[in-house]
Amino acid sequence: MKRTTFLVAVCGFLFSCSVDVNSQDVVGSGLVWENSLVNVGAVLAEDGPATADFYFVNKTDSSVYIRSVETDCGCTVADYSKDSLAPEKVGLVKVRYDPQSRGGTFSKLIIVRSNAYPEGDSLFLEGVNVPYPKDPQKHYGVRKAGLGFVFPVINLGTLFTDAPKTKFVDFYNFNDFPIQLSQKQAQLPEHIAVEMIPSVVPAGSRAVFSITYDAALKKDLGFVEDAFSLSLLSGERMDVSIALMATIHEHFDPIPVDQVDEVPRLNIAEREIDLGKISSASSVSGRVSLENTGPLPLNLRKVVSNCDCLEFAIPTNDLDPGEEMVLVFTFDPKGRRGIDHKTLTFFSNDPLNPTQTVVIKSRID
């Protein structure tokens, strides 16, 4: 169905476009690819090679044939038709990725050279290689409801609000029975979606949780944590606790050069504050001066510190063009000694510098 939809869309495009648009379309390779990038997700070593299909349409006015397909790694092999392809016909390049012992994310380049475009079209195959550990008992040492994980907390890294991010988390089913993910997940937050691959995991085998996190739905910025339980089904219902952490940043579209002076601008006068020598017996206060130097209203989305020992008060979250304000903070060094660094992080609608950090240094006696 997906392939049919693609072909119908291409044919409709051909018949609906003007002459000028058609003339622009044939510039370059003359091949229209359904996808130039395919992500195969997590590749478990015991499952063997992963494959991806790259479909294309010949949009030139003559026959096209593929001269060669080159890959940047011996672990990636491509197969393709050696026959000529008539105009508006569909072709296929099938790529196979053989997982190696080295794990982690991968991005493989495939260059398709044709008689229409000898320089070659660039395709990319991406995913996560998950090698089989020598000792699953030790490797998956964190146990939850009979499942073994590598880490107690899943770190999603940096997220942006423009698009969800998916992370693949491998685990081992140490139970003596198969499991599957329940279709009813009462505790799953709306900004998180989870899929189990494969859908049924036999006893004594590995699988992957595909966790998709939508930062826009979370409606928060900075460091965040989520804890929930996933409901699994076996002979009876069972729950496994999941803990996530991530850092969320607001996404802003790139600003054209001629518009850089037409946006809100957060100017922080003190990017580094040295409190000098202080005593652990008493709190110390300081000030951070903020100004909107742009022509549009500035909004402070959020201000966070990296320690409960650092308290602050925000007079207002909104600054008109040219308006200034002072943020007063108080640092309680009780129980601390030596050189100390604390931070205040400002999230705003300044598209050029949406996240800015102030470092507060001290030497505590």
Side-chain angles (χ1 to χ4, degrees):
M1 181 65 184
K2 180 179 179 183
R3 308 302 173 208
T4 303
T5 302
F6 172 64
L7 293 176
V8 170
V10 170
C11 292
F13 180 79
L14 289 171
F15 284 103
S16 64
C17 291
S18 67
V19 175
D20 288 340
V21 174
N22 282 331
S23 66
Q24 292 175 8
D25 286 339
V26 298
V27 173
S29 71
L31 305 182
V32 174
W33 295 88
E34 180 184 23
N35 292 295
S36 60
L37 185 153
V38 173
N39 192 314
V40 294
V43 182
L44 299 177
E46 61 269 35
D47 293 339
T51 60
D53 294 336
F54 293 88
Y55 287 88
F56 65 92
V57 173
N58 175 12
K59 287 185 60 180
T60 70
D61 56 3
S62 60
S63 295
V64 167
Y65 63 91
I66 296 177
R67 289 180 171 175
S68 65
V69 177
E70 303 167 10
T71 64
D72 63 354
C73 174
C75 59
T76 309
V77 179
D79 187 23
Y80 58 95
S81 173
K82 309 301 189 295
D83 297 331
S84 296
L85 192 69
E88 299 187 28
K89 294 299 182 179
V90 177
L92 168 66
V93 174
K94 184 179 287 289
V95 179
R96 186 183 70 176
Y97 170 76
D98 191 4
Q100 305 294 305
S101 59
R102 182 178 180 180
T105 58
F106 62 84
S107 180
K108 302 302 177 183
L109 171 65
I110 303 102
I111 300 178
V112 180
R113 303 186 190 278
S114 66
N115 63 316
Y117 190 44
E119 293 184 11
D121 289 308
S122 295
L123 308 176
F124 294 90
L125 181 70
E126 296 183 349
V128 181
N129 182 16
V130 189
Y132 196 86
K134 294 181 179 179
D135 188 344
Q137 290 281 349
K138 290 184 179 180
H139 185 77
Y140 297 103
V142 179
R143 303 298 173 86
K144 301 177 181 181
L147 304 184
F149 295 86
V150 179
F151 302 107
V153 179
I154 300 168
N155 188 352
L156 299 179
T158 301
L159 309 180
F160 291 90
T161 55
D162 61 324
K165 180 178 180 179
T166 298
K167 180 158 186 175
F168 299 97
V169 179
D170 55 303
F171 66 92
Y172 198 98
N173 181 15
F174 287 105
N175 294 298
D176 56 3
F177 48 80
I179 60 170
Q180 62 182 21
L181 196 63
S182 173
Q183 293 185 353
K184 295 183 178 180
Q185 297 291 335
Q187 296 192 36
L188 194 63
E190 68 170 352
H191 58 279
I192 298 174
V194 180
E195 180 184 0
M196 193 162 69
I197 307 171
S199 57
V200 178
V201 184
S205 66
R206 292 200 306 168
V208 171
F209 280 131
S210 172
I211 301 177
T212 301
Y213 196 107
D214 192 333
L217 292 179
K218 175 66 174 178
K219 297 178 181 179
D220 200 356
L221 295 171
F223 179 76
V224 297
E225 296 177 291
D226 289 273
F228 55 90
S229 292
L230 286 177
S231 296
L232 306 178
L233 298 177
S234 55
E236 58 185 30
R237 190 183 185 93
M238 54 188 282
D239 293 330
V240 56
S241 61
I242 301 293
L244 306 177
M245 64 179 182
T247 302
I248 299 177
H249 294 277
E250 185 174 357
H251 170 80
F252 291 91
D253 291 331
I255 303 298
V257 175
D258 60 350
Q259 296 180 20
V260 294
D261 294 326
E262 301 176 11
V263 297
R265 299 293 295 271
L266 174 60
N267 180 61
I268 303 177
E270 304 88 2
R271 299 303 297 270
E272 187 175 288
I273 298 174
D274 191 347
L275 299 177
K277 278 190 175 183
I278 61 175
S279 170
S280 60
S282 58
S283 298
V284 180
S285 295
R287 297 156 58 93
V288 180
S289 302
L290 310 174
E291 181 183 5
N292 177 13
T293 59
L296 297 178
L298 177 84
N299 176 253
L300 285 176
R301 310 292 207 216
K302 189 177 182 181
V303 182
V304 297
S305 66
N306 65 340
C307 179
D308 292 337
C309 60
L310 191 63
E311 297 182 348
F312 55 90
I314 307 173
T316 179
N317 287 84
D318 298 293
L319 290 175
D320 290 328
E323 188 176 1
E324 301 178 36
M325 77 171 181
V326 174
L327 181 147
V328 178
F329 66 85
T330 301
F331 172 51
D332 184 357
K334 183 179 180 180
R336 303 176 185 278
R337 288 280 187 179
I339 298 175
D340 191 272
H341 291 79
K342 295 292 175 284
T343 60
L344 283 172
T345 302
F346 296 80
F347 299 88
S348 75
N349 66 332
D350 177 348
L352 299 177
N353 294 287
T355 305
Q356 300 187 50
T357 299
V358 173
V359 178
I360 303 170
K361 303 190 300 183
S362 62
R363 296 176 297 283
I364 307 171
D365 294 335

